[in-house]
Amino acid sequence: MDTAQKLLESKKYHHALFFLHLAIEKILKALCISMKDEAPPYIHNLRQISEIAGLKFSEAEMDQLDQISEFNVSARYEEHKYKIYKKATREYAEEWMRIGLGFYELFKQQI
């Protein structure tokens, strides 16, 4: 989360969103290991990882995890990069950082 925060402060909003996803993915996979005592599969979809961990969320929260997962796809694949780059304003990035930090802290507390 520290890198995502520093990128946000540096006005590199689309990069901040990618690292937001990465931080949440890693803490969620750590939670999977903690709860299931097995390594999670090599996937990046936060909804799927949370389901594997046995976590229950509202549909709205699952939609948020889906959106954060899109930040990973958008950063990795050329055809998606421009779309996230255009959306990643300061306000947009700050809002998603707030939402993402909430998930991160929730997962961290459960490890």
Side-chain angles (χ1 to χ4, degrees):
M1 286 301 293
D2 184 56
T3 300
Q5 203 59 46
K6 286 185 182 351
L7 287 164
L8 182 69
E9 292 164 7
S10 299
K11 300 179 182 177
K12 293 178 170 58
Y13 305 124
H14 63 294
H15 294 300
L17 294 172
F18 172 75
F19 276 91
L20 169 68
H21 171 273
L22 193 60
I24 294 171
E25 178 187 334
K26 297 307 177 195
I27 195 92
L28 188 51
K29 285 182 174 181
L31 181 58
C32 261
I33 292 168
S34 174
M35 294 177 84
K36 299 288 185 177
D37 199 28
E38 61 185 52
Y42 295 106
I43 58 175
H44 304 291
N45 184 294
L46 301 179
R47 177 188 288 253
Q48 289 178 322
I49 300 167
S50 68
E51 288 170 349
I52 291 166
L55 301 174
K56 303 289 184 211
F57 291 107
S58 69
E59 193 56 38
E61 290 167 322
M62 288 299 217
D63 289 345
Q64 290 174 331
L65 289 173
D66 288 341
Q67 179 57 54
I68 295 169
S69 291
E70 282 295 312
F71 302 149
N72 173 61
V73 172
S74 297
R76 291 181 189 263
Y77 303 104
E78 284 301 320
E79 61 270 17
H80 296 280
K81 280 185 182 181
Y82 186 70
K83 186 171 93 174
I84 191 62
Y85 182 79
K86 292 294 285 180
K87 284 174 41 174
T89 63
R90 187 185 93 226
E91 294 81 13
Y92 183 85
E94 286 174 347
E95 176 67 9
W96 282 104
M97 287 293 286
R98 183 189 62 73
I99 293 167
L101 184 58
F103 281 114
Y104 184 87
E105 292 299 326
L106 176 69
F107 299 150
K108 186 176 171 183
Q109 291 171 3
Q110 294 182 48
I111 294 178

